[in-house]
Amino acid sequence: MSSDFYKLTIEEVVKETEDCVSLSFGIPDELKDKFSFYSGQYLTLKQEIDGADLRRSYSLCSEPSSGVHKVAIKQVEKGVFSTFANVSIKKGDSIECFPPTGNFKHIPSPKSEKNYVLFAAGSGITPILSILKSILLHEEKSTVNLFYGNKGFSSVIFREEIEALKNNFINRLSVTHIFSKENLGNRIQKGRIDEEKCEYLYDAFLKDIVIDDIYICGPEQMTLSIREVSIRRGVPSSNIHLELFGTSIKKVKSVVAKNTPSFDSVIELKLDGDEFEFPLNSEGENILDAAQKTGIDLPFACKGGVCCTCKAKVLEGNVSMDVNYGLEQDEIENGYVLTCQAHPTTEKVIISFDD
Ligand SMILES: Cc1cc2nc3c(=O)[nH]c(=O)nc-3n(C[C@H](O)[C@H](O)[C@H](O)COP(=O)(O)OP(=O)(O)OC[C@H]3O[C@@H](n4cnc5c(N)ncnc54)[C@H](O)[C@@H]3O)c2cc1C
Ligand code: FES
């Protein structure tokens, strides 16, 4: 993966709710191919704020065939970038942007006749909305059940757009809102989407449906609970797709066996046709941080093993990862690792961002 960011102009800024703003980017003709995407994928934005080089990922909420590249950014408490976006960004500003990427994606197949179930909470609606539109527009025979958790009506991002979709695709889309702080007059729609609530939702809405695919995006505990219930209800785990915006699970220390003495390794790194080399101790920092300290400009965003922006392929030697929330099994089998989580386990490691 190249480390190139591209300067894009912000063509539209819309206040979606009190604490969420959407930004649409203009993509020049020469970048159209680089910025093509699948529903579910995300952009990474880069901005210097108070001297710090901040990079944050935001899922595209628009649908690829619309030609629109739109993200929605919810302001989190004390969040540096999300506050900047909600308070300071204006139409006509430009911002550095890394092309769309990510494994959480839906590729529509016009002949499909599938039953999809989508779960979102809060800003987790962004990739889910794109996937929802992709299914409704490009799979004429597929149906969707969307469950969307929020505090109350006023915090529902894209409420009107979802209502319009419901009206336009009345036979194929069912939408159920679940509110933690507002009462809709029934027990099922009140509360948070936890394991118990998910069981209720299955009984009330999904009992007679053979579910083909489930897409989930929201807080970590919610996504894991839905996954667990869905597996119990017979949905194969390979058909349950999760997107995390972050993780609360504490980083574990390097996975090199505790009784193995530490050793010095040489890391050879390939990026955009260039080669770099630097030493790294097996119990030292991760490969991404170590490379950055030597001045190499590598692609990264979350540094938490979630977004996969730092993905690279190990060509020689071995590494171990602290955590991995983003890579698929086949990518791991093909030698890909998350460099923000990777530590050398052999004395020489050759790793490529170009493969
Ligand atoms: C693949 C991917 C896609 C994403 N898509 C979206 C999206 O479409 N819309 C969107 O709004 N965000 C999205 N995010 C989250 C986004 O990248 C940022 O993490 C988020 O905007 C917070 O950044 P910040 O600089 O404002 O907060 P920071 O300054 O990094 O964090 C400040 C504080 O807020 C807490 N915090 C950080 N993130 C969150 C969060 N999401 N919820 C609650 N507390 C948090 C931190 O623990 C910290 O205490 C996505 C993340 C990933 C990895
Ligand atoms: S930077 Fe996000 S997984 Fe490494």
Side-chain angles (χ1 to χ4, degrees):
M1 192 182 284
S2 152
S3 61
D4 290 345
F5 279 77
Y6 300 88
K7 203 167 240 184
L8 299 181
T9 304
I10 296 167
E11 289 188 335
E12 194 175 34
V13 179
V14 176
K15 199 81 187 148
E16 299 288 348
T17 65
E18 201 188 332
D19 58 1
C20 178
V21 72
S22 69
L23 313 176
S24 301
F25 303 93
I27 312 290
D29 283 346
E30 65 275 17
L31 291 180
K32 289 239 151 80
D33 282 351
K34 269 205 162 62
F35 277 80
S36 67
F37 68 100
Y38 293 115
S39 287
Q41 292 193 304
Y42 61 87
L43 297 172
T44 298
L45 307 183
K46 177 166 121 166
Q47 178 72 33
E48 197 179 303
I49 301 178
D50 294 334
D53 168 22
L54 295 186
R55 296 160 190 227
R56 298 286 185 271
S57 302
Y58 293 99
S59 302
L60 287 147
C61 53
S62 45
E63 190 278 320
S65 67
S66 68
V68 174
H69 288 69
K70 178 164 152 184
V71 300
I73 302 178
K74 184 168 170 147
Q75 187 168 2
V76 302
E77 213 185 317
K78 297 190 184 144
V80 181
F81 190 92
S82 61
T83 301
F84 166 77
N86 274 270
V87 173
S88 304
I89 290 184
K90 307 178 300 303
K91 181 178 172 176
D93 286 353
S94 51
I95 193 159
E96 301 267 346
C97 194
F98 193 78
T101 183
N103 287 332
F104 185 69
K105 59 184 176 225
H106 174 260
I107 305 175
S109 164
K111 288 195 181 139
S112 280
E113 288 184 47
K114 289 187 173 182
N115 295 315
Y116 293 93
V117 180
L118 313 180
F119 288 93
S123 57
I125 192 64
T126 48
I128 296 292
L129 179 64
S130 180
I131 290 170
L132 172 64
K133 289 186 278 196
S134 166
I135 297 167
L136 294 175
L137 292 175
H138 304 297
E139 293 188 9
E140 283 181 7
K141 292 182 179 155
S142 293
T143 70
V144 187
N145 269 275
L146 168 67
F147 299 99
Y148 186 11
N150 278 289
K151 282 186 193 147
F153 263 123
S154 63
S155 55
V156 176
I157 309 171
F158 303 125
R159 182 175 152 191
E160 281 172 17
E161 189 172 354
I162 291 168
E163 273 309 300
L165 287 170
K166 211 169 97 178
N167 293 334
N168 283 341
F169 297 95
I170 200 155
N171 296 325
R172 296 170 49 214
L173 171 62
S174 151
V175 179
T176 307
H177 289 283
I178 294 112
F179 292 147
S180 58
K181 296 199 169 150
E182 212 169 291
N183 215 330
L184 288 168
N186 67 71
R187 205 171 133 226
I188 268 187
Q189 287 179 273
K190 178 86 176 76
R192 290 178 185 280
I193 312 179
D194 54 14
E195 216 167 306
E196 191 188 1
K197 176 70 64 193
C198 192
E199 293 279 8
Y200 280 132
L201 295 176
Y202 261 90
D203 286 339
F205 299 100
L206 304 173
K207 227 167 44 190
D208 303 321
I209 298 175
V210 178
I211 299 170
D212 292 291
D213 279 287
I214 301 185
Y215 288 85
I216 314 166
C217 185
E220 187 172 18
Q221 195 47 56
M222 180 196 95
T223 59
L224 297 179
S225 299
I226 297 169
R227 187 174 185 276
E228 218 165 291
V229 173
S230 301
I231 289 171
R232 274 208 300 273
R233 296 280 181 147
V235 183
S237 63
S238 56
N239 295 11
I240 305 172
H241 315 277
L242 309 182
E243 181 70 307
L244 290 177
F245 284 178
T247 176
S248 55
I249 294 173
K250 286 243 178 317
K251 243 182 156 180
V252 288
K253 195 55 197 142
S254 174
V255 197
V256 179
K258 280 203 171 66
N259 52 2
T260 312
S262 69
F263 57 88
D264 287 322
S265 177
V266 174
I267 312 292
E268 197 180 304
L269 203 146
K270 296 175 191 289
L271 173 74
D272 296 336
D274 290 327
E275 288 183 7
F276 307 87
E277 198 177 281
F278 56 91
L280 181 60
N281 189 272
S282 58
E283 288 186 3
E285 58 207 328
N286 62 63
I287 290 176
L288 177 75
D289 282 343
Q292 285 184 321
K293 278 200 181 146
T294 70
I296 309 168
D297 184 18
L298 294 183
F300 73 93
C302 73
K303 288 200 175 181
V306 176
C307 73
C308 293
T309 311
C310 66
K311 179 175 105 172
K313 188 170 185 173
V314 174
L315 303 180
E316 190 182 314
N318 276 311
V319 304
S320 64
M321 284 189 282
D322 293 333
V323 296
N324 164 36
Y325 299 104
L327 291 177
E328 306 274 354
Q329 191 52 37
D330 65 321
E331 289 176 299
I332 295 171
E333 281 160 15
N334 284 319
Y336 288 97
V337 295
L338 301 174
T339 52
C340 74
Q341 303 297 319
H343 303 266
T345 55
T346 52
E347 285 179 3
K348 179 162 188 186
V349 174
I350 303 181
I351 195 158
S352 170
F353 284 81
D354 297 338
D355 286 75

